[in-house]
Amino acid sequence: MDEYYYSKQQFNDEEESGFDIKEWIALFLHYWYLFVIFGVLALGLAYLKNRSLIENFQSSGTLIIEETRYSGGSQALMQGFGVQAGYSNVDNQIVMLTSYDLINRVVDSLPQLNVDYISKGRFKTRNLYNTSPIIISSDYIDPNIYGALFKISLKADGSFIITDEDGAVDKSLKIQGRYGEPLQHNLFFLTVFPVNQQYTNQDLYFRFRSKESLVSDFISRLDLKFVLEGSSVLNVSLTSETPERDIDFINKLCETFLAENLERKNDAATKTMRFIDEQLDTVSKSLSVSEGAMTEFRRSNQIVDLPSHSTEVLGKATQYDEKRAELKLRETYLNYLTNYLKTNLASGAVVAPSSLGLNEPMLMALVQQFNELISERNKISERNPLYTKYDRDIDNLKLSINEVVKNMRASINIEEDDLNRKLAGVQKEIDALPNKEMEMISIERKYRVDDNYYTFFLQKRAEAAIQKASNSPDNNILDKARVITQINQDKKSRTTLIYLLIGLLIPAIFVILKELLNNTIRNTKDVEKNGAFTLLGAIRHTHSTDPILAGIRPRSSFTEMFRVIRTRIEFIVQRKSKITIMATSAESGDGKTYFCTNLASVYALTGLKTLLMDMDIRKPSINNRLGITEKNGVTNYLIGEFELNDLILRKDGIPFDILLAGTVPPNPGELIRSDKLKDMFAQLRTMYDYIIVDSSPIGLVADAYSLAPLMDTNLMIVRSEKTNKGFFKKLNIQLKADNISNMYTVINDVKPDGTSYSKYTSNYGYGYGYGYGYGYGAKEGKKKGNSYTRYYEDDSEI
């Protein structure tokens, strides 16, 4: 046993690497027709796939996003109140550009998006945006049918039929109508209008789109990127199979975005004008009353003008009255500002004090900062992390504004007290005037205050109106939307390449799997790799079943292969006659009988006496192959029924003598090991120059073990694409361990192309049923005719 494992290990160590790139290339070239067939099929499928390809286009427009920040002085001032520096506006405006509310407004402004018109061709399905021959106007749509695809069959007579071909709503739906006539159904109220008056028979499809699906679709596809890193030029793009629809959407999105931006900028001016209008309404009423009172007083008292002293006193009083009105205006604004900070933070911007002529630098800076923070916060949602930060800064700013307002109120109170003292002095001078002059001064004071107040508000309202009219959006459209590129223009070539690669990969995988799963000996390389004995020669595949083909075709390459083996045997045994050769095999059906008959024919061509012996006494086959009817042979001699000379056969047309196996005995193993068998071989050696022995398979039964020591040369016949590689390898290891002498290997039935992969089926072979539990079998070879003298015209026929 140790010797067996030693031999096995030694044999495995001597194996060579199994990968040979040239062999694989030759293997692939052998199956070239598979690559051609699958390549053509792949190209055909790729063509069909490309026919159904729908082009995808990228449509894009550009916006210039202006960065709005607080001024440097304002920033420094605000930081003094604990308020952080202003934020860049760019990122917030990008978020706003993709906000649900803005997209919703854009969808509302494009009613043509509500219906998809679709044409179905043999290979392609297209959206007929702006190219549909009809327009569907709907007044009511059942929410359950949004997204369902309906078929509308247009007729040349101006009628149409709507059906649900896919059965998404109702498979039996069939609604008839005419162009321009309202159509009412429980699913929808609609009217179909033709784009032109040329009615044709045509089938189209349409589906209604809900606003929510449209908004979600555009938000998911909207792509915003800066043209260059660090720039504020924003590229707005969409990708789809309908570029015209994307272009309309991008243009409308940019226009709506700019309109909202301008609306926010005009908010402060609008509120200023509203505040001034409220003040003008009150002042105008007061002015009308004071003007009427002064006119009536002058008419009734026939006073045109006051004396110079009275005019001087009136001038002082008017001057003080104007200052009081100014203080009142400041106090009114402070009341407005205080009330706004308490109740109206969500209503937008605060009226700037400069709009009312209040040039208080600190308050102006705080209000400007407050308006900017409110604007920035309104651009984002409450879920944005910056929203809390803006809230925090606004709260800090409110505290700062309230502190400034408190200080300004204290200052106003001081100024009012001082002004009241001065007015009290002027009032004493007025009291010293005559009664009519005093009354006239009082009336004219009231009139002048109201008139100045009214003129001031008119001036400020005009300034606010001018400011509103001169406002423009912070952002600008740089380029209108247009189609930039077709993003899948290389998809056809890519599809063709992928299909071609798959088409070539399938036969390649087939060949590789066939190679890897093939567990048979195919060529001389497999024999040398898996065998333990010297390879003596190779016999090519033939289409003929003639058992003595080498004898009737002596000049063929087939016969020459046997001559090579004959020469090598003579070299091994160091003589040219008196040679005994045994042929065995690993399994049944490996062609050893066919090999023996042809080898005997080659030896017979030398003119020396040659004997072919059938020692496969368990299942003899030579008599069937050569068409011999006699049955007696070796076993009959060994049991003493016949003499040896009486059993040797000589047949016409067969150039060698034949000794059959004889009757199948019940104890073949004992007969093979008998001394009489050895005596028989000794006698035959004296009678013949060459003895060819056809033995039973050594891999299945032990008969060949007993015969091997009696032979000069032992040949193991291996059949290409038939002999099991693993079994052959194990058998060689065992024979090597058993020290079987003079054993050599011959590979049989090698295909002429050298690849040993052609699916030819041989007509020779036989089956074994020895009762040892192996169960190997093959079909019996059939002889065609009785003549073995057929002449072959050329070597390719065999």
Side-chain angles (χ1 to χ4, degrees):
M1 184 63 67
D2 292 339
E3 184 181 2
Y4 168 76
Y5 283 110
Y6 173 78
S7 300
K8 180 178 179 181
Q9 182 64 38
Q10 184 182 24
F11 175 62
N12 290 337
D13 292 342
E14 292 174 355
E15 289 188 7
E16 299 177 357
S17 173
F19 181 78
D20 187 345
I21 188 171
K22 293 182 179 180
E23 182 179 343
W24 281 100
I25 293 175
L27 181 62
F28 289 138
L29 291 177
H30 177 70
Y31 285 98
W32 63 269
Y33 55 91
L34 289 180
F35 290 92
V36 172
I37 292 173
F38 278 91
V40 172
L41 288 175
L43 291 176
L45 293 175
Y47 171 76
L48 295 177
K49 180 68 175 178
N50 288 332
R51 283 289 302 272
S52 61
L53 174 68
I54 299 178
E55 297 81 1
N56 272 344
F57 297 93
Q58 183 182 36
S59 304
S60 176
T62 52
L63 277 174
I64 298 180
I65 304 294
E66 297 292 344
E67 298 187 17
T68 56
R69 294 184 173 90
Y70 307 125
S71 62
S74 174
Q75 285 186 2
L77 181 63
M78 294 307 101
Q79 291 173 359
F81 285 91
V83 180
Q84 294 188 8
Y87 304 100
S88 172
N89 194 19
V90 175
D91 293 337
N92 292 333
Q93 293 200 60
I94 292 176
V95 173
M96 186 176 179
L97 193 58
T98 58
S99 66
Y100 188 92
D101 290 339
L102 181 63
I103 303 296
N104 192 55
R105 290 179 59 181
V106 175
V107 170
D108 285 339
S109 62
L110 295 172
Q112 63 268 33
L113 299 178
N114 296 330
V115 183
D116 284 342
Y117 305 94
I118 298 169
S119 70
K120 290 185 177 181
R122 185 176 181 183
F123 293 99
K124 297 183 180 181
T125 299
R126 293 187 178 277
N127 190 313
L128 301 179
Y129 182 82
N130 285 344
T131 59
S132 172
I134 60 172
I135 295 177
I136 298 177
S137 175
S138 60
D139 298 322
Y140 162 76
I141 300 173
D142 186 339
N144 295 321
I145 70 170
Y146 282 117
L149 192 64
F150 296 95
K151 180 180 180 180
I152 179 168
S153 300
L154 308 178
K155 306 298 181 182
D157 60 357
S159 64
F160 59 83
I161 299 175
I162 298 176
T163 57
D164 182 10
E165 191 176 73
D166 297 333
V169 179
D170 183 2
K171 186 74 172 180
S172 61
L173 180 70
K174 185 176 182 180
I175 305 173
Q176 296 184 347
R178 297 191 64 83
Y179 290 140
E181 296 180 1
L183 179 63
Q184 294 187 359
H185 190 270
N186 61 337
L187 296 178
F188 41 66
F189 297 166
L190 56 83
T191 306
V192 179
F193 298 97
V195 174
N196 52 55
Q197 300 303 318
Q198 296 179 357
Y199 303 151
T200 58
N201 293 320
Q202 187 177 359
D203 289 338
L204 296 178
Y205 296 83
F206 71 92
R207 63 169 166 242
F208 297 108
R209 300 288 301 275
S210 64
K211 183 189 297 186
E212 292 76 13
S213 68
L214 287 169
V215 173
S216 300
D217 175 50
F218 282 113
I219 288 179
S220 64
R221 292 191 295 111
L222 192 61
D223 186 28
L224 305 178
K225 291 181 181 178
F226 288 105
V227 175
L228 295 175
E229 185 178 355
S231 72
S232 60
V233 179
L234 188 66
N235 187 71
V236 183
S237 63
L238 286 170
T239 300
S240 76
E241 301 164 357
T242 315
E244 297 84 2
R245 180 180 61 184
D246 292 345
I247 289 174
D248 288 347
F249 179 84
I250 293 173
N251 288 334
K252 182 59 68 174
L253 175 65
C254 294
E255 292 171 5
T256 306
F257 178 66
L258 295 184
E260 282 200 351
N261 178 261
L262 183 59
E263 183 180 332
R264 287 193 301 273
K265 288 190 68 175
N266 289 335
D267 183 60
T270 301
K271 290 187 175 181
T272 300
M273 294 173 64
R274 187 182 303 119
F275 176 82
I276 292 175
D277 287 341
E278 293 173 358
Q279 301 301 315
L280 281 174
D281 183 61
T282 302
V283 173
S284 63
K285 293 178 181 178
S286 177
L287 178 61
S288 178
V289 172
S290 61
E291 184 180 13
M294 186 178 67
T295 301
E296 178 62 23
F297 183 84
R298 285 182 174 180
R299 185 186 60 77
S300 60
N301 292 281
Q302 297 183 353
I303 297 177
V304 178
D305 204 356
L306 292 171
S308 59
H309 177 68
S310 298
T311 301
E312 181 181 352
V313 174
L314 178 61
K316 290 181 180 180
T318 302
Q319 181 180 359
Y320 293 145
D321 287 338
E322 289 177 352
K323 289 184 179 181
R324 175 182 284 178
E326 182 181 342
L327 291 177
K328 182 180 179 180
L329 177 61
R330 291 168 64 185
E331 188 172 358
T332 301
Y333 177 76
L334 293 179
N335 291 335
Y336 155 79
L337 183 58
T338 302
N339 183 63
Y340 182 91
L341 294 178
K342 290 180 179 179
T343 61
N344 299 320
L345 284 179
S347 62
V350 181
V351 175
S354 59
S355 302
L356 302 177
L358 304 181
N359 298 319
E360 181 65 33
M362 185 173 293
L363 184 62
M364 290 172 59
L366 288 172
V367 170
Q368 179 185 354
Q369 176 85 351
F370 184 84
N371 284 338
E372 290 178 350
L373 285 175
I374 290 292
S375 177
E376 294 297 326
R377 191 187 66 175
N378 290 341
K379 294 176 182 177
I380 61 177
S381 66
E382 295 184 4
R383 291 175 294 180
N384 194 307
L386 288 177
Y387 194 91
T388 304
K389 187 174 183 62
Y390 284 134
D391 272 346
R392 205 165 46 243
D393 289 345
I394 289 172
D395 290 339
N396 292 336
L397 198 58
K398 283 171 60 179
L399 295 176
S400 301
I401 292 175
N402 286 329
E403 186 67 26
V404 172
V405 169
K406 181 179 178 181
N407 294 334
M408 289 184 66
R409 286 186 186 277
S411 176
I412 289 174
N413 290 334
I414 294 173
E415 291 185 34
E416 282 184 344
D417 292 341
D418 181 63
L419 190 59
N420 287 336
R421 287 194 299 270
K422 292 179 180 180
L423 282 173
V426 174
Q427 187 63 41
K428 290 180 180 180
E429 294 182 22
I430 292 175
D431 292 341
L433 294 175
N435 292 334
K436 289 187 177 181
E437 290 184 10
M438 183 176 63
E439 189 176 354
M440 178 65 181
I441 286 175
S442 176
I443 294 173
E444 190 163 347
R445 282 178 61 191
K446 182 69 170 62
Y447 170 77
R448 286 187 178 184
V449 169
D450 290 342
D451 183 60
N452 290 338
Y453 211 7
Y454 186 78
T455 302
F456 171 78
F457 279 123
L458 285 179
Q459 178 184 355
K460 292 302 178 182
R461 191 184 190 285
E463 290 176 358
I466 292 172
Q467 178 64 36
K468 181 177 180 180
S470 63
N471 276 342
S472 62
D474 292 331
N475 311 311
N476 294 296
I477 298 176
L478 183 61
D479 289 315
K480 287 281 188 180
R482 57 190 174 88
V483 176
I484 300 299
T485 183
Q486 179 186 341
I487 63 172
N488 60 345
Q489 59 184 351
D490 61 336
K491 191 171 183 179
K492 287 187 176 181
S493 58
R494 191 164 61 248
T495 299
T496 302
L497 180 60
I498 291 174
Y499 273 63
L500 183 59
L501 289 177
I502 293 175
L504 297 178
L505 188 61
I506 291 175
I509 292 175
F510 167 77
V511 172
I512 292 173
L513 289 178
K514 185 176 182 296
E515 168 72 10
L516 296 178
L517 296 177
N518 192 340
N519 60 349
T520 61
I521 299 293
R522 291 154 297 176
N523 49 38
T524 57
K525 185 173 182 179
D526 287 342
V527 173
E528 293 171 349
K529 180 179 178 182
N530 296 280
F533 304 104
T534 304
L535 178 64
L536 204 60
I539 306 300
R540 56 164 287 188
H541 169 83
T542 66
H543 298 285
S544 173
T545 59
D546 288 338
I548 56 172
L549 179 61
I552 62 177
R553 191 62 194 276
R555 296 185 179 181
S556 66
S557 61
F558 176 77
T559 305
E560 192 61 33
M561 293 177 180
F562 281 95
R563 288 195 179 98
V564 171
I565 294 174
R566 183 188 65 186
T567 302
R568 290 179 178 174
I569 291 174
E570 292 173 352
F571 179 78
I572 292 171
V573 300
Q574 296 295 308
R575 60 180 180 273
K576 294 186 178 182
S577 64
K578 302 302 178 179
I579 300 174
T580 305
I581 303 168
M582 180 186 74
T584 184
S585 63
E587 304 170 340
S588 63
D590 285 345
K592 60 181 179 56
T593 300
Y594 187 78
F595 173 83
C596 289
T597 57
N598 281 281
L599 182 62
S601 299
V602 170
Y603 274 110
L605 291 175
T606 62
L608 299 177
K609 295 184 67 175
T610 303
L611 174 66
L612 174 63
M613 290 183 62
D614 191 349
M615 287 302 299
D616 191 353
I617 61 177
R618 299 173 186 266
K619 191 170 183 64
S621 59
I622 288 180
N623 54 340
N624 292 329
R625 288 301 183 90
L626 298 178
I628 297 174
T629 58
E630 286 83 352
K631 299 296 183 181
N632 298 320
V634 174
T635 58
N636 300 97
Y637 168 75
L638 294 177
I639 63 177
E641 291 183 353
F642 293 92
E643 293 296 328
L644 188 59
N645 290 329
D646 297 334
L647 295 174
I648 296 175
L649 304 177
R650 297 173 180 82
K651 295 291 184 178
D652 294 336
I654 299 178
F656 48 80
D657 293 347
I658 304 165
L659 179 57
L660 298 178
T663 306
V664 178
N667 55 345
E670 285 70 16
L671 289 178
I672 291 294
R673 292 175 176 83
S674 65
D675 292 334
K676 193 172 184 178
L677 180 69
K678 297 179 181 179
D679 295 337
M680 181 188 71
F681 272 104
Q683 183 179 350
L684 290 174
R685 284 177 183 272
T686 63
M687 298 169 56
Y688 291 94
D689 295 297
Y690 304 105
I691 302 174
I692 311 301
V693 179
D694 181 12
S695 175
S696 56
I698 196 171
L700 301 181
V701 292
D703 295 353
Y705 271 89
S706 301
L707 295 174
L710 305 177
M711 305 296 143
D712 296 315
T713 304
N714 299 297
L715 302 180
M716 181 183 294
I717 308 303
V718 178
R719 185 174 179 182
S720 176
E721 293 192 11
K722 193 279 175 186
T723 302
N724 185 276
K725 187 186 298 183
F727 184 65
F728 173 75
K729 182 176 180 180
K730 292 179 180 179
L731 179 60
N732 274 259
I733 295 174
Q734 183 64 55
L735 293 176
K736 194 74 172 178
D738 293 339
N739 292 321
I740 298 297
S741 60
N742 300 324
M743 180 67 74
Y744 299 89
T745 307
V746 175
I747 183 170
N748 186 31
D749 197 25
V750 179
K751 304 302 181 292
D753 56 6
T755 62
S756 297
Y757 289 95
S758 301
K759 286 295 181 185
Y760 298 113
T761 56
S762 177
N763 291 323
Y764 59 82
Y766 55 89
Y768 276 89
Y770 295 120
Y772 288 85
Y774 290 97
Y776 290 86
K779 290 183 178 181
E780 291 279 353
K782 294 182 180 180
K783 176 189 172 187
K784 296 181 181 179
N786 295 319
S787 175
Y788 294 95
T789 58
R790 180 181 173 191
Y791 180 79
Y792 291 84
E793 293 296 332
D794 58 69
D795 197 49
S796 63
E797 293 185 16
I798 64 172

